[in-house]
Amino acid sequence: MSEAIRVLHVLGGTGLGGAESRIMDLYRQMNREEIQFDFLVHSSAVNGFREDAPERQAQFYDEEIKQLGGRIYVLPRFRVYNYLSYKKAIQDFFGKHHEFRVVQGHMTSTASIYLPIAKRYGIPITAAHARSAGVDKGLKGIATKILRKNLYKRTDYCFACSELAGFSVYGKKQADEGRVKIIYNAIDAGKYVYQPEKREQMRKKLSVEGKLVLGHVGRFSTPKNHPYLIEIFASLCSMREDVALVLLGDGPDKSAIEKKCEELGVREKVLFMGNCKQPEDYYQAFDFFLLPSLYEGLPGVLVEAQAAGLRCLVSDTVTREAQATDLVTYMDIRKSPSVWADEVLKQADYDRRDTYREIAEAGLDVKRQAEAYRYFYLNGDTSKL
């Protein structure tokens, strides 16, 4: 039997982020005797390319990747001022590792650097994959925009998880002229189907029986707009006593959000659960899902919430492609948090249902998408994606 082809995914890390979770959902569906995934990630703990970097702190998916047969390689984090040493680290990597059939770059901020180098070292297929529809503020955001300019000329394929992400990374002109392939972020929808028994178990575990439970899943960082989320919840608490907020995720802004909860007097009603290995169980406990993000690519967590049969109140900056059911309501984040709270109460009384078929028909179930990716990885043909 011939050896499996290897596909390299380039990411910031292997933590519990949206892009990482979607790639892992896809990885689990692959016939790994035919196609294997490897990961090239970034860390401030190293100065050059590393085969193995014990100084890098292990991340959420590391163990599973290794169990599935994947390899993790490490580059230094790009800081703009280290452009030359960053480029050399990439050259060192591909000078030694040119065995990949495909390099898929989900970290588009520096894809214009690493994808052309991969090509020069003989990689047959390169693809940039836009996963976000925005950039950070300040100098970092400016640098990202400069580096992304003309990215479409520096890769074989331009992928994006939504139209907005495509516009943001490659430019509207390139998208309008058909140079961008939209591939929705698909999830393993079957894991999230509503289960009344599991709901009772989880609500008991969280001690939220008899309460209206709001949920949010996301990294504690600027794009997710946690401060506004907490203000919505505080407003809701002033209208109704029996409420709770469950937050899944971790990140640099977590302590600031905990402090804000204390300042608004709602800390005892907010459950910070961190990164959870089985987030699908927590969705069962929720009654309502909130996503007031400043920007998104195509948020897999919104698809997961719908797959769990939850009503969702979402920022109007979030891409419409993520709306697979009638459970989603979009709202302006410039409105008062009390307006969002009113809307939650208005919609809170509803019957949960099994939405699996709706998710699958919208092209958001990973089982269907995996076969299309398999065809692309083997043949370099995007016609089924």
Side-chain angles (χ1 to χ4, degrees):
M1 185 175 179
S2 60
E3 188 176 348
I5 68 165
R6 304 199 80 92
V7 175
L8 181 71
H9 292 277
V10 185
L11 292 155
T14 50
L16 191 60
E20 296 87 343
S21 296
R22 301 292 73 82
I23 294 164
M24 291 305 295
D25 281 341
L26 185 66
Y27 192 9
R28 297 179 193 112
Q29 299 297 321
M30 289 289 139
N31 175 355
R32 290 180 293 280
E33 293 183 355
E34 181 181 50
I35 298 171
Q36 256 296 349
F37 285 2
D38 293 315
F39 297 79
L40 182 60
V41 301
H42 296 70
S43 173
S44 56
V46 303
N47 294 317
F49 154 61
R50 295 286 186 274
E51 292 275 354
D52 183 28
E55 63 269 47
R56 166 185 171 266
Q57 186 174 357
Q59 294 188 292
F60 189 84
Y61 286 119
D62 282 14
E63 183 179 347
E64 183 179 3
I65 287 168
K66 292 172 183 177
Q67 287 175 348
L68 293 173
R71 301 174 300 200
I72 300 171
Y73 304 103
V74 186
L75 290 176
R77 194 169 297 282
F78 182 68
R79 303 291 191 190
V80 181
Y81 62 79
N82 68 340
Y83 175 84
L84 292 177
S85 60
Y86 178 75
K87 186 175 180 179
K88 184 182 185 303
I90 296 167
Q91 291 169 334
D92 290 345
F93 172 74
F94 283 110
K96 184 173 183 180
H97 292 282
H98 36 78
E99 67 269 26
F100 308 105
R101 177 167 175 76
V102 180
V103 175
Q104 191 167 347
H106 308 273
M107 188 173 172
T108 56
S109 58
T110 57
S112 62
I113 303 173
Y114 61 76
L115 290 180
I117 293 173
K119 200 71 177 177
R120 284 203 298 275
Y121 280 94
I123 303 301
I125 300 167
T126 62
H129 199 144
R131 296 283 188 172
S132 175
V135 297
D136 292 332
K137 294 180 180 179
L139 290 176
K140 185 177 180 181
I142 293 170
T144 296
K145 288 180 179 179
I146 293 171
L147 286 166
R148 283 175 175 172
K149 189 175 182 181
N150 295 330
L151 173 57
Y152 72 97
K153 294 180 180 179
R154 304 174 72 79
T155 181
D156 295 326
Y157 296 99
C158 297
F159 295 159
C161 63
S162 67
E163 282 191 0
L164 279 177
F167 294 164
S168 175
V169 173
Y170 308 109
K172 191 174 187 300
K173 184 175 185 290
Q174 311 312 322
D176 289 344
E177 292 179 356
R179 294 190 179 95
V180 181
K181 182 79 173 181
I182 305 300
I183 307 169
Y184 296 150
N185 289 341
I187 68 164
D188 188 354
K191 294 198 306 184
Y192 295 87
V193 172
Y194 177 51
Q195 304 172 57
E197 299 82 8
K198 175 63 72 174
R199 171 180 168 80
E200 289 183 16
Q201 292 173 13
M202 289 303 297
R203 288 173 73 89
K204 185 175 182 179
K205 175 181 176 180
L206 297 171
S207 299
V208 294
E209 303 104 309
K211 294 182 180 180
L212 174 64
V213 180
L214 281 68
H216 178 272
V217 181
R219 176 175 164 79
F220 285 85
S221 59
T222 299
K224 300 302 178 183
N225 204 13
H226 281 89
Y228 186 70
L229 171 64
I230 299 305
E231 289 173 8
I232 294 168
F233 182 65
S235 184
L236 188 64
C237 289
S238 69
M239 302 174 184
R240 181 166 168 171
E241 276 290 319
D242 58 336
V243 291
L245 175 62
V246 180
L247 301 175
L248 271 63
D250 210 336
D253 296 346
K254 184 178 178 181
S255 59
I257 298 305
E258 289 177 323
K259 183 178 179 181
K260 187 174 182 69
C261 289
E262 292 172 0
E263 291 171 350
L264 294 177
V266 297
R267 180 62 185 87
E268 72 280 1
K269 294 187 177 184
V270 181
L271 284 72
F272 289 82
M273 305 309 301
N275 289 332
C276 302
K277 288 189 177 296
Q278 293 179 291
E280 63 270 20
D281 290 349
Y282 290 85
Y283 282 95
Q284 301 297 325
F286 300 165
D287 293 303
F288 216 98
F289 189 77
L290 291 176
L291 192 69
S293 301
L294 298 176
Y295 57 84
E296 293 278 359
L298 189 149
V301 293
L302 179 55
V303 182
E304 291 169 355
Q306 292 173 84
L310 289 167
R311 282 204 178 276
C312 308
L313 191 56
V314 180
S315 165
D316 62 2
T317 61
V318 171
T319 55
R320 289 338 191 237
E321 291 101 322
Q323 184 178 11
T325 70
D326 62 2
L327 294 169
V328 180
T329 299
Y330 290 90
M331 186 166 281
D332 190 340
I333 50 174
R334 292 172 297 183
K335 290 186 175 181
S336 167
S338 64
V339 176
W340 280 63
D342 283 335
E343 189 64 29
V344 170
L345 291 181
K346 190 186 302 181
Q347 297 191 30
D349 186 16
Y350 68 98
D351 294 324
R352 296 272 284 270
R353 69 177 192 266
D354 184 337
T355 59
Y356 177 78
R357 179 170 292 185
E358 294 169 77
I359 301 294
E361 289 176 352
L364 296 169
D365 180 53
V366 75
K367 288 183 173 63
R368 295 189 182 185
Q369 193 177 87
E371 186 56 37
Y373 264 114
R374 172 185 176 274
Y375 191 77
F376 168 66
Y377 292 145
L378 292 175
N379 303 293
D381 184 342
T382 64
S383 61
K384 296 188 178 184
L385 283 169

